[in-house]
Amino acid sequence: MGNFNAQFRQVLRRLVRTPMFTAVTLITLAAGVGANIVVFSVLEGILLKPLPYPHSEQLIGISHAAPGIGVNSLPGAPSNYFIYRDQNQTFQEIGMYTSDSASVTGPTEPEQVRVGKLTDGLIPTLGIPPALGRGFNRQDDLPGSPDTVVLMYAYWQRKFGGDRSVVGQTLKVDGKARQIIGVMPKEFSFLDQDEPALLIPFQFDRNKIFLGNFSYVMVARLRPGATIQQASSDVTRMLPIVGRSFAAPPGFSLKMFEDAHFQPNIVPLKDRVVGDVGKLLWVLMASIGMVLLIACANVANLVLVRVEGRRQELAIRAALGAGWSRLSSELL
């Protein structure tokens, strides 16, 4: 250790005596290493870390393809949701949601906020219960039921100052009085959507649902041991049931839906959330890695030039009895 400390002090003295070499070397390495740290931090946060939900590997995104009409990706539809919810054999929970905006009045100043509209099964599907009160149940999601709302944590803090007695109060959303039944925890994030302020239930009237209207994001949680392939087979089995259970919308015929030849398109939810950004990040990471290699090569060239200038010093050290190991450690 004493020999290492002595050599380290000599290195520092040599670097101080050559400030230009030192500055160029440090800047080159800092640029290469810093760029890699920044890009890897982004890549790790988006691609390598699991989604912030319990057992997120069980979460899947459900969409559809319609090769008969040349469409590769269609979101979920209310008609499909009801059949998948009631007749599936591979899901623990299933939910559906979309984003909207609404005007909020009541105990706070009027404002326009983002709103997440969802079915009662979405919060249980994601696996994070409310921090206060409760989430939506099947009754909240039925048409004609009392109107309810769940607050997101940031909105609760900003508008109600974290008041825990907020549960049970009334908030007017688009002129409709809604009872606050819960508050989501701080760590809850709403998938790939911009953070909403409020969550409200859809309240679809099943008797007024037609086929189609593929406008909603559908998420499910697989049962333990179930695979994506089994879920895909399960959805394939249920697609004809959807066609037999609901009528075609006005102006369309059932044959048009049959000719579309709907197929399931099921992927891990993380793939659905990340999308094509993942490929771009891996390409960027490889490019930045090459930048680091180039930086290291440039520093190696600088060091070789510097060693060339120390030939006389090294020759004197060798003449005084320094072995190859000592000389190599000096260079290292």
Side-chain angles (χ1 to χ4, degrees):
M1 179 60 72
N3 184 41
F4 173 80
N5 290 335
Q7 291 178 339
F8 187 67
R9 285 194 297 270
Q10 292 178 22
V11 169
L12 291 179
R13 285 197 296 268
R14 281 195 290 268
L15 290 176
V16 170
R17 289 198 301 266
T18 55
M20 183 61 70
F21 168 81
T22 302
V24 171
T25 301
L26 291 178
I27 291 173
T28 303
L29 287 177
V33 173
N36 275 266
I37 290 174
V38 170
V39 174
F40 180 78
S41 298
V42 175
L43 185 143
E44 191 226 4
I46 295 178
L47 295 182
L48 302 183
K49 280 186 177 180
L51 292 174
Y53 308 110
H55 302 289
S56 61
E57 72 282 355
Q58 297 177 337
L59 294 174
I60 58 173
I62 304 176
S63 59
H64 308 83
I69 56 175
V71 178
N72 296 322
S73 181
L74 285 170
S79 56
N80 296 69
Y81 164 74
F82 282 115
I83 297 301
Y84 298 170
R85 184 192 69 181
D86 297 340
Q87 302 193 32
N88 82 85
Q89 299 173 355
T90 52
F91 307 147
Q92 297 182 61
E93 297 281 355
I94 184 171
M96 192 169 65
Y97 73 93
T98 190
S99 292
D100 203 349
S101 64
S103 175
V104 178
T105 55
T108 63
E109 294 182 1
E111 63 174 331
Q112 194 78 10
V113 300
R114 294 195 64 81
V115 171
K117 292 185 176 181
L118 56 148
T119 59
D120 64 282
L122 184 68
I123 293 177
T125 297
L126 297 179
I128 300 182
L132 290 178
R134 64 174 179 87
F136 302 121
N137 56 33
R138 188 66 58 86
Q139 186 66 34
D140 294 311
D141 208 15
L142 292 176
S145 297
D147 296 307
T148 53
V149 61
V150 171
L151 308 182
M152 292 293 283
Y153 183 87
Y155 186 79
W156 174 55
Q157 290 289 326
R158 177 168 61 89
K159 284 297 184 180
F160 296 92
D163 182 8
R164 300 180 67 87
S165 66
V166 70
V167 176
Q169 295 183 25
T170 299
L171 197 65
K172 274 196 173 182
V173 182
D174 283 340
K176 183 183 293 185
R178 292 182 175 271
Q179 184 183 35
I180 301 172
I181 62 171
V183 177
M184 296 306 295
K186 185 177 182 179
E187 64 271 15
F188 179 78
S189 59
F190 203 62
L191 298 169
D192 58 338
Q193 303 293 305
D194 293 336
E195 192 70 24
L198 310 172
L199 304 178
I200 60 178
F202 274 123
Q203 295 188 334
F204 286 121
D205 187 343
R206 186 165 182 166
N207 295 322
K208 298 179 180 179
I209 294 296
F210 294 100
L211 292 173
N213 192 14
F214 294 94
S215 305
Y216 307 94
V217 180
M218 195 178 292
V219 179
R221 181 178 289 273
L222 294 174
R223 293 181 181 178
T227 65
I228 288 180
Q229 290 73 23
Q230 291 171 335
S232 182
S233 299
D234 195 18
V235 172
T236 300
R237 174 187 62 83
M238 290 185 287
L239 281 171
I241 301 176
V242 176
R244 294 194 298 266
S245 302
F246 295 92
F252 294 83
S253 66
L254 182 59
K255 187 176 186 306
M256 295 174 65
F257 285 87
E258 294 173 347
D259 291 342
H261 301 297
F262 288 105
Q263 299 174 0
N265 183 11
I266 299 177
V267 298
L269 182 60
K270 183 159 190 177
D271 292 353
R272 181 63 49 80
V273 171
V274 172
D276 293 333
V277 175
K279 297 177 182 178
L280 178 62
L281 285 177
W282 282 116
V283 171
L284 184 59
M285 188 72 230
S287 302
I288 294 297
M290 292 299 298
V291 170
L292 179 60
L293 290 177
I294 294 171
C296 291
N298 289 335
V299 171
N301 287 332
L302 290 172
V303 173
L304 288 175
V305 172
R306 182 168 165 76
V307 170
E308 183 68 19
R310 295 180 59 196
R311 290 182 63 181
Q312 183 176 0
E313 172 199 341
L314 296 175
I316 293 174
R317 288 177 179 272
L320 292 176
W324 283 107
S325 61
R326 181 63 182 269
L327 294 177
S328 299
S329 64
E330 287 283 341
L331 298 176
L332 182 61

